[in-house]
Amino acid sequence: MDDHPGKSPDHLTINVTHRDDPVFEVTEADAFASARKYPNIVVRGPLFGLAAQRRGERPRWRLMGELDTGFPQMARDELNSHLWFKAKDDTEDRAERRSLLAAVARLETEPVNEVTADGVRYRIVRADEFARIGGGSLEPPRATDPDDDSWDLDAPESSRTKDFVVDHAAAVGLAEGIDRAGLLQLSYTADRFPYDVRADSQRALTTHPGVVLLPTTFRVVERKELSWSMVTGQHATPQAARRALVDHLTRPMPQLPDLPDMPELPAWMKVDEKEQAIHERAAKKFMARRRPNELLVRGRRFEVVRAERVMRIGPDGPERPRPSDTDDYGPSQIHPLMDEEGNITYGT
């Protein structure tokens, strides 16, 4: 019965704790209330990103970026660039540069999901994005979600995902512990998913039996009659998503000037001045409210929603891309050649 006598391995341990902290207690109460109001989940699909493991951090892994791309190869290209620029700008040691460039060479020719360079393990990791739903509505931001009140559309975006430490055994509150326990058997079962996707998802329950919840992000969606469509990417705070919605409404793609022999722009690229004025008035009213999460304009309903991500964990850490995760293109050389001295050869 007991395959792990004594202490359970980290990837099977959910360590629940309680803190005598008013903020912690309010956050826990908010999470339990949301679970009752939004009891079900809808899975959007996989996202991919990068994680690194240094010698002193084992068995933990650290996320290197946002984990927001929909294709493994895009994450591999991101790693390719990270290692190439590290070899170019961050070292004068020939052996270190040689190790970094060897990893780059592999990424240029093989769809590999893990490389080691200068003693650091780099891995392409995957997570499933989902939202909670109840009463036909997606969950909006919670009162206890980190937020701000700025409407500066040019403010730099913060990040709660970069440098997040993936540690399955780290202490969490009771609400998150219950959430994770409930997600242990999450898999793709709907007929809309191809057979190989469902099979890989079921297999992952065994190969990567643990789960970790990554920092929550926020998106703007447009409510349709029977569904929702994404309007913005991921944002670290609800207010950043609200700013993105205002930007979406008030900063449309400008119409290009007429040039000789240039074909007429399609209708969707043209700015309708009347529509634009309506959008600007709606955005102004939206910004006059404090932390609004819905906007109705010209019969279109925009909503700010919570987007969560769950990462499966196995004995060797975070799950890599699955065989059924598809790419639109393969590996290629994306930077000029560099030798161990740092000399760069540009193509002709």
Side-chain angles (χ1 to χ4, degrees), residues 225-237:
E225 184 177 355
L226 298 174
S227 63
W228 295 265
S229 63
M230 295 292 177
V231 176
T232 70
Q234 295 178 164
H235 301 279
T237 65

Side-chain angles (χ1 to χ4, degrees), residues 43-49 67-72 125-130 188 192-193 197 219 234 308-310 319-322 324-326:
V43 178
R44 178 170 177 260
L47 294 171
F48 304 91
L67 205 129
D68 60 356
T69 180
F71 300 98
V125 294
R126 93 187 290 284
D128 282 307
E129 184 178 33
F130 68 93
Y188 296 172
R192 66 187 177 92
F193 296 110
V197 171
R219 290 184 184 267
Q234 295 178 164
E308 300 187 59
R309 295 163 297 173
V310 58
E319 185 181 16
R320 302 171 180 84
R322 299 171 184 171
S324 57
D325 292 325
T326 58

Side-chain angles (χ1 to χ4, degrees), residues 252-256 264-273:
M253 183 182 296
Q255 184 170 351
L256 299 175
E264 183 179 359
L265 290 172
W268 66 269
M269 291 184 65
K270 297 180 180 179
V271 176
D272 184 312
E273 293 183 359

